[in-house]
Each structure stands twice: as structure tokens, then as C-alpha cells.
């Protein structure tokens, strides 16, 4: 009756629909389903942020429209946080743009820069918003394979010159969802040089910036000299402070790019609830911040070891995930990722995500989200062990 627009009709089919149906079926049968599918923190937002919301929610001066460009105090808090954590100096006025969650900015950056015929270079496997944003804006994604053999870092030397010439945006994401890979400064230097040669805007998605393990230090792409003129970094309070439902993130970096993104988005949204921005200030500046982040890192680090050790005992090779809260593992021989995930759910009640859902190069893998407690993870490994072995 009401015909959807072409751009909506072209949206990819929801790859997890079949698994969602199966989960509902299992739950209805009374199966104790262990959900390691969705990457949404299971722990609550820390108390010092909740307390701030309790007082901010009641202040009438928070109840009207916020300024379009965001609250000065939130932008200042982001700038101070980058100075302290990354030794990156940002002008809070022009180099920080608050977002209604980073996903909002990641989607809108494509509308801000992509015209029909333009390309975005996007990682495969990757967070789907990069490619869908390009498509919705009338352009197209060009997929850069992330493979085990290249440590899940794209090879810029494999991108054809005519593709690079048509591309306007280069999306990167480290620590990486779904592979758990981490990038070092040499890789970011290479990305910036490639972007400069080809006149690309680098869009680095740093949603998991604080979640690195094994003694690694969180790294911002803006730490690379010269990055601020060709790159923006998306960051978020979602994963760092267990605030996925609050919708608060930001972009930092290139003044020119942020001006364009800000101009676009202020025509569509009216910013973030001021009380939430003030809670963002609390998250980024409270004296308990660093100990909270350390404890969060400890929590995921212990879970990560349980899964990596557990899978290794079941014959899986040593898994290299070093960041984010995901384990990326190969499926046993003879299965597609979808078949393996379906069998696992059927035989064990454990839900994981098929790698194919993140792109063609995700085929042959599955993703485990470390967003349930240690006992449930041990139980999941035990159940998996009764059903399958890797080799
Ligand atoms: C969770 C996630 C985000 C964003 O989250 P917001 O809640 O929108 O800030 C962005 N990128 C990746 C790769 C994610 O996994």
C-alpha cells in the first residue's frame, strides 16, 4: 500500500532474522539460552554517573533544547580527556562534536560527504553502518578484506588506483568489532599517508578505545602527527561506561569535516538532552573514572581468558583477539558460519553471531560477545564441548 522508498527497499536483508526466530522458538520450549550474540554490556552504568543524573534530571534548566553545537562543558571534558589519555590537544569549540551515540555520527558522515557515484572504503568484516551509510547516501561501499593473514588490518597497496580516486571516506575501527584486532601507530601512519595521497577523509571508529588487553595502551589515531587534518575519530561513552542506552558519543579531529557533519546533522536532530551531556562530563572527569575503566578492563580480560582457554581445550587454535569485548573464532571444517551457529543453538542453546553477518570475509568465522558473567561463559564452553570439537 505505502510503497517504501527505493533506498529502503535496497537495504540488505536482516541476516540474523533466522537466528532470532530460532532463539524465540528455543525460549518457548523452555531451553536455557545463553546469549553471546549481541555486543551490549551486561553491567550497569556506574553509580557516580547515575547519581549525577538523579540531580540533573530535576533541574528545569536542563529541560529545554540544548545548543545545536553541544554544551561547552561536555566539549571541554572531551578535550581534557583526550589531552590526558592521549596527549592530543583539541580545541573544544571546533574539534569536538557531540553525537547522539557514535552510530548517529557514523551514519551521518556518509550523508555529509558521499554523492551518487562516490565510494567509501569499508572493512569487511565490519560494523554494518559504514557500508549502509554509503548506500543510503547514494554511493557505494568498496570492501577492504580483513583477514587473519594480514592481522585484520586492510592492505592499502591492494586497493586499485581508480577505486581510491573515486573514494571519499576511509572507515577504520580499532579495537575492532568483530575481530578483536588492535592496530598500532605504524598502521595508522600508513592509513594517514594513504588518505593524504588519495584525498580521503579517515573516519576512525574508536568505540572500544579503552578495551585493550595484555598491557596494551589505548591509542587514538589523532596521536599520529598530522592526523588532525585528514582524520576524525568517533568515540562513545557506550562501551567505556556501560551507557549504550543513554545515547552519548562524539567525534573529534578535522575542523573542516566536523563543520560539515555538524551542519548536516543539526538539520535533522536537535542534539542531546542536557542532563545526559552533564552526565557525560561526570563520566569523563569523575576521580573514579580510571579505576572504573581498569575494573571494566579486568572484567572483560578474565572473561576473554575463560573463552580463549576453553576453546583451545576443545581443539581451537590460539585466538588472537586483543581488544574490544569479542572473540573471533574459525568455525570447524565442513560448516558455513550460518550452519555452525544454527547447529550450536540447536544442540547447546548457546547463541553466537555468524561471521557472514559482518561481510563476505566474515564467512568461516563466528563471534562471541563477552557480555555475560564468568559462570555462564564456563557453562557455554562446557555445552559447546559436548556438541562439537574444532578438530
Ligand atoms: C557499539 C558500537 C558503536 C556505537 O555505539 P553508540 O552506542 O552508537 O555510540 C560504534 N561502532 C562499533 C564498531 C560498535 O560496536
Amino acid at each position: 500500500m505505502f510503497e517504501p522508498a527505493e533506498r529502503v527497499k535496497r537495504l540488505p536483508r536482516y541476516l540474523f532474522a533466522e537466528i532470532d526466530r530460532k532463539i524465540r522458538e528455543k525460549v518457548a520450549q523452555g531451553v536455557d539460552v545463553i546469549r553471546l550474540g549481541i555486543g551490549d554490556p551486561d553491567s550497569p552504568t556506574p553509580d557516580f554517573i547515575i547519581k549525577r543524573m538523579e540531580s540533573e534530571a530535576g533541574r528545569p534548566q536542563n529541560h529545554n533544547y540544548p545548543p545545536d553545537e553541544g554544551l561547552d562543558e561536555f566539549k571541554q571534558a572531551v578535550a581534557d580527556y583526550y589531552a590526558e589519555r592521549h596527549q592530543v590537544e583539541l580545541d573544544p569549540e571546533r574539534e569536538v562534536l557531540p553525537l547522539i551515540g557514535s552510530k548517529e555520527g557514523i551514519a551521518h558522515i556518509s550523508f555529509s560527504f558521499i554523492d551518487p557515484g562516490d565510494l567509501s572504503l569499508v572493512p569487511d568484516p565490519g560494523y554494518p553502518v559504514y557500508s549502509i551509510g554509503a548506500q543510503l547516501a547514494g554511493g557505494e561501499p568498496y570492501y577492504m578484506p580483513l583477514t587473519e593473514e594480514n592481522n585484520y588490518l586492510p592492505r592499502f597497496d591492494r586497493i586499485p588506483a581508480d577505486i581510491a580516486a573515486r573514494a571519499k571516506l576511509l572507515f577504520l575501527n580499532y579495537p575492532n568489532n568483530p575481530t578483536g584486532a588492535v592496530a598500532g601507530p605504524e598502521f595508522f601512519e600508513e592509513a594517514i599517508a594513504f588518505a593524504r595521497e588519495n584525498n580521503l577523509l579517515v573516519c576512525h571508529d574508536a568505540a572500544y578505545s579503552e578495551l585493550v588487553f595484555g598491557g596494551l595502551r589505548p591509542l587514538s589515531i589523532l596521536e599520529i602527527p598530522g592526523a588532525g587534518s585528514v582524520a576524525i575519530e568517533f568515540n562513545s561513552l557506550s562501551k567505556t561506561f556501560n551507557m549504550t542506552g543513554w545515547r552519548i558519543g562524539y567525534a573529534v579531529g578535522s575542523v573542516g569535516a566536523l563543520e560539515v557533519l555538524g551542519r548536516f546533522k543539526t538539520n535533522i536532530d536537535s542534539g542531546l538532552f542536557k542532563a545526559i551531556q552533564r552526565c557525560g562530563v561526570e563520566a569523563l572527569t569523575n576521580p573514579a573514572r580510571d579505576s572504573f575503566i581498569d575494573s571494566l578492563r579486568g572484567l572483560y580480560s578474565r572473561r576473554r581468558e575463560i573463552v580463549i582457554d576453553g576453546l583451545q581445550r576443545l581443539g581451537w587454535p590460539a585466538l588472537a583477539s586483543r581488544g574490544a569485548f569479542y572473540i573471533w573464532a574459525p568455525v570447524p571444517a565442513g560448516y558455513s558460519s550460518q550452519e555452525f551457529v544454527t547447529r550450536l543453538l540447536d544442540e547447546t542453546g548457546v547463541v553466537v553471531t555468524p561471521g557472514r553477518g559482518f561481510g563476505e570475509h566474515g564467512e568461516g568465522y563466528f563471534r562471541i560477545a563477552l557480555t555475560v558473567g564468568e559462570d555462564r561463559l564456563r557453562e557455554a564452553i562446557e555445552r559447546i564441548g559436548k556438541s562439537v570439537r574444532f578438530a
Side-chain angles (χ1 to χ4, degrees), residues 39 100-104 106 126-127 130 173 175-177 205-208 234-239 243-245 247-250 325-326 367:
I100 310 171
S102 60
K103 183 179 185 180
E104 178 261 299
I106 292 168
Y127 186 57
Y130 317 134
N173 166 221
N176 184 257
N177 176 8
D205 178 353
Y208 298 91
F234 292 99
N235 212 323
S236 172
L237 278 65
S238 285
K239 314 290 166 50
M243 293 178 77
T244 48
R247 311 313 301 134
I248 177 165
Y250 53 87
F325 47 51
Y326 302 110
R367 188 192 77 174

